[in-house]
Structures are given as structure tokens and as C-alpha cells.
Amino acid sequence: MSSGRAMVDGRFELLEPLGSGGMGTVWRAYDIALHREVALKEVRAEGDTGSAQGDTGSAEQQRERVLREARALARITHPNVVAIHHIVDTPAEKHPWIVMELVAGGSLADKLAEGPMPPAHAAWVGRGILAGLRAAHAVGVLHRDVKPPNVLLRTDGSPVLTDFGIAAVNDLTGLTSTGSVVGSLPYVAPERLQGHEGNPASDLWSLGLVLFAAVEGYQPMRRDTDVATLAAVLMGSVPPPRQAGPLTPVLNALLVPNPGHRPPADQVDRMLAQVTGENPAEPPAFHQLSGPNRTVTAPREFLATPPPRPYSPQPPPQGFHAPLAYPPIPPDPVTDAPQRNSRPWIFAGGAVVLVAAAVAAIALWPSSSDGQGGAGQPPGRAQPSGIALPSGVIPPTVIAPTTAKSAATVDLLTPDGMRTAVAALEKVAGGKQFTETTIYPEYVITGAPVPNEPKHYDKFTYRNGAATHDGIGGRLTDPTIDLSSVNWDILPTLLATAAEQLKVPNPTSRYIIVDTAGTFTNGQQVLRVYLSTAYGDGGYVSAALDGTILRVYAK
């Protein structure tokens, strides 16, 4: 071709920039050898012309980031992760280039700029993002920068994860100094700011914030200043969603500050599938390949772009207590930056420690001597006082310690295990009614109505012999259940029936959901027993509260 446009490696003709940020530019380009359009990622080194930032690292670090991203992408073959074709790293070029597939539908940030998504649409996109993350995690790659600009959309709307430039790869040396954290601040998981890396649950936290932004129309952790945002992330307290509808349980499960309390990816996928109405035992339709361009099919109702629905902040529900009052942050609250490849934040360990110490002081501040909690708070939930916080930061709820058993952890999928857990949860929650509850062998996740505020609920966990209050949940829309009224003596028989009916060889995951809304049973409250393997084989058995088997769903 003789258009006079710039060429890379004598083969790739640069057509137009697709997005630019502090770490470089992504170009639409034409491969003159294979006669196809591709995406070329250029990463500018410090001091290059056009670089607006001088703190993105040395030239060698920038080169290594390019190679790191190429290595990370090369490990992953999945339709929801951008494919790498080639890498240009020759003396003739000032810096390396990554040649990737061209995803032509823009980014999720572009899509959300038109307005929030309906919950089912967001859940459908979320299943695709989650599938890409699971594929990456399976080969030892953590993304560490999941946010709307880093999710591209095909022309049918299906998502593609990109920008693995700061990914953590199991056998590759880190690129940041000891004690530093890399990522986009409003989407970074709290544990990463405390120096805990290498946990796939951190990517799930970021996914939860992407889904929150998709349905609510704003990023809940952003504040007026970086310091205030940092403090908000460290506290990990997310305001309750108001427009998420059936996606609310997914957000509440993912956006838990303790990474050990977040559900595993396979359960998150099942929860998202319930929101979309898809079969939870089957992958989303767009996971199937069809041709060299990996064409996929979205549900028909998602192909038409809904009319823009600008975010309109609503006042907090009357009587609902802190930490609900998070102010919306206009303008452009969803997109972390208008560029496709916006500059990640790099935090020095010392700064993180200082803010962590301040937040820790807040969390450990003793309650008032009269022994009374805040208004509407049951015994054991006290509010800190006397602490001056940065503007826009709401203090977290301080949880009074509970008595923990010193004995070894008991299997909670047993009658005695659940009776003990329910008694502890009732004591901390200050009541007997609970929301949908998920029971794992090691811990229980549930919610309970707020005393004197029956239209709202808080989140609770039971683990290692202790029940804890994990923070606010949101508006209560589904029926509740008295967990002590469940005949837990049926558990051994129910688990044996599930094993016999589902025929899952050597299940690696087993858990029970107490479905208070009767999602698949016309409103009848049931117990659903799930068994699955690491490869996704499995299913569930649904039973009435007296143990009567209602449905068996095996893949």
C-alpha cells in the first residue's frame, strides 16, 4: 500500500489512534502481509515525545511491561480475552509493539457513557468478563486492573478483556518497587492496598465495582481527592445499590472487604446466570466460537441499544444510617478515564501504610462508655466517634468482638454445624429473620433486616466459630426466613441424595443456598444443594424445607 502513512516493522500501517493514555497509544492498523485490520499497542518510554507523564518508569521498565503483557496474553486462549497475534521487538523500532486482534465495538466505558444498563444486560456482560478472568486465573494470570475502559465490546456487545500490562503472572518478576501497588485506584481491592497480592478474589472485587457502575451510573469509591478515595477503598464500604434489582445479591456478595468472604467464581457465574435467565449449568452463549473472528451471539433483547438513561441521584432512604450517604461524583462518574488505556495508579508502600494506619485507628476507636450502639443498631454494632475524616469519607461500622470457638473448624454442612452457626448469627444480628443464605463447609454468608428498619438489611458472615457483621446490605426486596425453623437434620440425607442424583465424580465445590425468594419454585422457599468440579461439571438438587426433593438439575 502506498498511502504514505507510518509503518511499523515494514508490515503494519498505522491508520488511526483508538485510545491514548499515560502508558501509550493503541492504534488501528492494517497488516499488509495478511490483509486484515489489527490493533497495535505502543507503549511510550519515559521522555518520548508526546508523553504527558514523566513518572511511568524507565524505558527498560516500559519495555518489560510490553513483554509482560504479551506473555500474559499468550497464556490465555479465550473469546472473552483479547487475542495476541505478534510482538514487534527489533532494533529498528524505538520500543516494542504488541499486535492484537481488533475489537471494533468500543469499550464498556463508551457504552456506559450513554447511561446505566438494565441489570440483566449488565449480568450478561458480567458473565463474559468473569469467563475471561477465570481463563486467566486458570493459567496463573491476575489482571489487577479490571475497569470499564479495559473491557472492549464486540459489535454484538459481548465483552473482551484487554490491557494486561500490569497483570501479575506467577513466574514473572514484579515491575514495581517493594511495597507498591499498581492499578486504577477506584477499582483496586482493599486487600491490595494493604500489601496482599496474588488473590484471584481481588479481580472479583473489581468486577463487582464494574457491575455496580454499569447499573447505578456512578463509581462508588471515587471521592473529591485521591487521599479521600484511598481511604474509602481501604475501608471497603460500598453504598447499597438502588437500581440493581436482581443483580443486588451478586454485588453484595462480591463487594465484601474480606477477600476470603467473597464467593468463588463458579458461584458468581451461577448467580449472574440467574439474573440473565440463562441455564446456570451452561456457559453464556457468547463463549462459543464460530469462525476465525470469534463471532458470537448475544441475547436478542441486548442487541438493540436501550435509550440513554442518565444517572439521577436519589436521596438516601429516610432513617437509613451511615455509611449510606456517599455523594455522587459528577461528571463522567463511570469511566475511569476517556482513554482506552488510561494511566494506572502506582502507590508507594509508605503512603499506603500511613492511610491504613489512620483507617485502622478509626476502626479500633472505642465506643462510648454508655454501652449503647447507634440509632437502629443492635447490640454489638457501635459507631466510632471523635475522629476527623477527610471530606467525603464516611466512617465504617465498628463491630464488637464475638466469642469464637477454640476448637477446630466444624463442617457447617451438618446439622450440628448449622445449628451452632444460626445461634451465633442470631446473637450478632439481633433477630431470627435472615435473607437468602449460602452455606459452605467452612463459612456461611447471609443478611438480616436492620432492627427498626425492616425494609433494609445488613450483611453477616459466620466463620471459624464466630459470627461477624460485614456492613450494610441494601434495600430488602425478598422474603426472609427463620433459619432456626429449618429442619437441619435433613442435611446428611439431602447431601447423599445430591451425590447420588448428580453423579459428580470427586466434586471440588459443594454448598447449599437457602432460597428465600423461591427463584425456580414459584415462590416456595427451598434448599438448593450444589455440587461441581473444577471443570464446571455438576448441577444442583432443589428440596423443600422438609427434605422433599423438588427438582434435580444435572449438566
Side-chain angles (χ1 to χ4, degrees):
M1 302 180 73
S2 58
S3 63
R5 296 189 178 102
M7 298 289 290
V8 174
D9 199 31
R11 172 177 171 177
F12 302 100
E13 182 183 25
L14 300 181
L15 302 179
E16 63 175 340
L18 296 175
S20 182
M23 292 184 67
T25 301
V26 175
W27 294 80
R28 185 170 69 91
Y30 187 77
D31 184 345
I32 63 174
L34 296 179
H35 301 282
R36 64 177 178 181
E37 288 193 349
V38 294
L40 251 66
K41 181 171 183 177
E42 166 196 23
V43 179
R44 294 190 295 262
E46 181 180 4
D48 277 1
T49 302
S51 179
Q53 288 80 16
D55 58 352
T56 56
S58 67
E60 184 56 32
Q61 282 184 319
Q62 295 294 66
R63 177 181 178 277
E64 185 58 31
R65 281 198 176 99
V66 175
L67 297 177
R68 170 189 282 270
E69 180 169 9
R71 294 177 189 128
L73 288 171
R75 291 185 176 210
I76 312 165
T77 302
H78 196 276
N80 296 113
V81 176
V82 68
I84 180 172
H85 298 321
H86 180 62
I87 186 167
V88 177
D89 185 18
T90 67
E93 301 295 336
K94 184 183 298 186
H95 40 251
W97 298 71
I98 298 178
V99 185
M100 301 177 291
E101 67 168 314
L102 181 65
V103 183
S107 72
L108 181 59
D110 300 330
K111 181 68 174 177
L112 297 184
E114 303 172 2
M117 285 182 172
H121 190 174
W124 181 78
V125 172
R127 285 197 80 192
I129 299 172
L130 178 63
L133 288 174
R134 294 177 73 180
H137 296 168
V139 294
V141 177
L142 304 181
H143 191 285
R144 302 202 301 173
D145 199 21
V146 180
K147 59 182 180 180
N150 288 345
V151 178
L152 305 182
L153 301 176
R154 302 191 192 279
T155 53
D156 65 1
S158 57
V160 182
L161 268 175
T162 187
D163 208 338
F164 281 75
I166 61 171
V169 184
N170 279 350
D171 56 359
L172 295 182
T173 304
L175 294 178
T176 59
S177 58
T178 302
S180 297
V181 178
V182 185
S184 300
L185 178 54
Y187 290 92
V188 168
E191 65 272 12
R192 292 193 59 227
L193 294 187
Q194 299 172 33
H196 302 294
E197 293 282 6
N199 192 337
S202 298
D203 279 347
L204 297 185
W205 167 278
S206 302
L207 171 62
L209 288 177
V210 169
L211 294 176
F212 187 105
V215 294
E216 298 296 317
Y218 71 101
Q219 212 293 335
M221 309 307 285
R222 183 177 283 115
R223 299 292 184 271
D224 293 333
T225 67
D226 294 341
V227 172
T229 300
L230 182 60
V233 173
L234 277 166
M235 286 189 287
S237 185
V238 181
R242 300 176 185 170
Q243 303 183 97
L247 192 59
T248 300
V250 183
L251 300 181
N252 291 338
L254 290 175
L255 299 176
V256 176
N258 188 331
H261 293 182
R262 295 169 205 152
D266 60 343
Q267 183 188 345
V268 177
D269 185 61
R270 289 187 178 91
M271 296 172 73
L272 290 170
Q274 291 178 16
V275 178
T276 65
E278 297 172 290
N279 184 340
E282 296 292 339
F286 54 77
H287 285 190
Q288 301 174 5
L289 307 182
S290 59
N293 294 325
R294 303 204 265 186
T295 304
V296 291
T297 303
R300 180 177 302 173
E301 62 269 27
F302 297 156
L303 293 179
T305 301
R309 182 163 55 95
Y311 172 65
S312 177
Q314 302 295 321
Q318 184 176 3
F320 202 49
H321 305 292
L324 174 64
Y326 286 78
I329 310 296
D332 191 24
V334 172
T335 56
D336 187 62
Q339 301 87 1
R340 173 168 294 189
N341 294 283
S342 55
R343 171 174 169 249
W345 289 81
I346 302 178
F347 308 104
V352 173
V353 170
L354 287 175
V355 179
V359 175
I362 297 169
L364 297 176
W365 193 264
S367 58
S368 58
S369 59
D370 62 5
Q372 301 297 313
Q377 299 286 342
R381 300 189 220 175
Q383 295 288 349
S385 61
I387 300 293
L389 296 178
S391 174
V393 178
I394 308 301
T397 298
V398 175
I399 305 167
T402 58
T403 302
K405 293 183 178 180
S406 58
T409 302
V410 177
D411 185 355
L412 297 179
L413 295 178
T414 61
D416 289 343
M418 273 310 297
R419 290 192 183 98
T420 301
V422 170
L425 287 165
E426 288 177 347
K427 183 176 180 181
V428 174
K432 286 183 168 293
Q433 293 298 312
F434 292 91
T435 63
E436 179 177 281
T437 301
T438 304
I439 309 163
Y440 294 93
E442 302 86 5
Y443 59 96
V444 178
I445 301 173
T446 188
V450 179
N452 303 321
E453 292 288 342
K455 293 183 179 180
H456 302 98
Y457 73 95
D458 282 353
K459 296 180 287 187
F460 297 86
T461 301
Y462 177 85
R463 181 190 292 268
N464 296 331
T468 57
H469 169 223
D470 291 335
I472 58 175
R475 183 173 293 276
L476 187 61
T477 57
D478 292 334
T480 58
I481 188 172
D482 181 352
L483 290 177
S484 62
S485 69
V486 177
N487 180 14
W488 298 112
D489 289 329
I490 68 176
L491 287 185
T493 301
L494 191 56
L495 289 165
T497 301
E500 178 184 356
Q501 295 289 330
L502 298 176
K503 295 181 172 58
V504 180
N506 302 316
T508 56
S509 176
R510 61 189 187 112
Y511 58 93
I512 295 175
I513 293 180
V514 183
D515 183 357
T516 63
T519 306
F520 305 125
T521 51
N522 296 321
Q524 179 182 359
Q525 295 185 334
V526 298
L527 303 177
R528 295 202 306 275
V529 183
Y530 288 86
L531 299 178
S532 64
T533 69
Y535 299 97
D537 299 321
Y540 69 88
V541 170
S542 181
L545 298 183
D546 62 3
T548 303
I549 302 300
L550 303 176
R551 182 182 183 186
V552 176
Y553 193 96
K555 183 175 180 180

